Amino acid sequence: MLTTTDTRTRRPSTRVTRFCRSGLTSVVTELRKEGTAESSADLRAAQDLLELGIGQMSTPTTALGHPFQVHPVIGTWVVHADVERSAADPEVVRISAQLPADAPHEPVRVVWFNMLSLVGGTATVPPQVAEDGTYHVDGSVRSGAGVVVAGIVPEDNGGRPGFALVAE
């Protein structure tokens, strides 16, 4: 379920976009009923987010960028991750994460799904070394207009996925 709520009674002019796991579960069911192949990237991405444990999230509707609501853990390190919708091209969502210097510098998998267009996908993003010697991962996806849910998943070294909700 996906809702946009006007919360003016609590805070002045704040609109919040909410995501509920049951909405994504319903999408998977509908895609299957429509005959979408189990091997399609869209269906696999939605199923992957569910299997990874995505849960309820909310974000200010007007926020173009913000930290992940649930930060990923790589190995034993909590990783700061951000998500942002491009101001120049609102159909592009950028995901980035700063990796601790002593964390494993393995690729991460980015999984995303657009709740409006019912399009999703995955990409493996290798870490890059910045000029100051720190490691980070940066990836962009052309998600299209609409609310997007995304996850960052450690590839090999244990940990847990992180999740973000991006408003329209």
Side-chain angles (χ1 to χ4, degrees):
M1 185 164 126
L2 189 64
T3 59
T4 300
T5 307
D6 190 342
T7 58
R8 280 185 261 188
T9 57
R10 291 182 226 136
R11 292 182 298 246
S13 65
T14 301
R15 292 182 54 84
V16 176
T17 298
R18 300 180 194 285
F19 168 81
C20 181
R21 178 182 173 86
S22 63
L24 190 56
T25 302
S26 296
V27 165
V28 167
T29 301
E30 287 303 313
L31 287 173
R32 284 183 174 142
K33 282 182 184 175
E34 292 175 0
T36 302
E38 289 292 322
S39 61
S40 81
D42 304 329
L43 184 55
R44 279 196 328 259
Q47 288 174 313
D48 203 6
L49 287 166
L50 289 170
E51 289 168 7
L52 291 169
I54 195 167
Q56 294 182 343
M57 293 181 284
S58 63
T59 189
T61 302
T62 58
L64 286 179
H66 55 80
F68 264 51
Q69 283 89 348
V70 177
H71 284 283
V73 174
I74 297 179
T76 59
W77 294 268
V78 175
V79 174
H80 179 83
D82 291 303
V83 64
E84 134 183 80
R85 188 174 292 278
S86 170
D89 185 354
E91 293 196 356
V92 172
V93 170
R94 183 174 167 266
I95 296 169
S96 62
Q98 299 299 319
L99 303 176
D102 51 352
H105 300 124
E106 300 292 329
V108 298
R109 188 165 44 98
V110 173
V111 183
W112 62 275
F113 192 82
N114 184 312
M115 296 297 291
L116 178 64
S117 65
L118 307 182
V119 172
T122 62
T124 299
V125 182
Q128 304 292 321
V129 176
E131 289 181 17
D132 64 0
T134 60
Y135 285 84
H136 59 93
V137 292
D138 291 301
S140 296
V141 296
R142 181 162 289 284
S143 61
V147 174
V148 175
V149 290
I152 290 181
V153 184
E155 278 289 305
D156 297 324
N157 291 306
R160 70 167 194 262
F163 299 105
L165 172 65
V166 185
E168 295 185 57

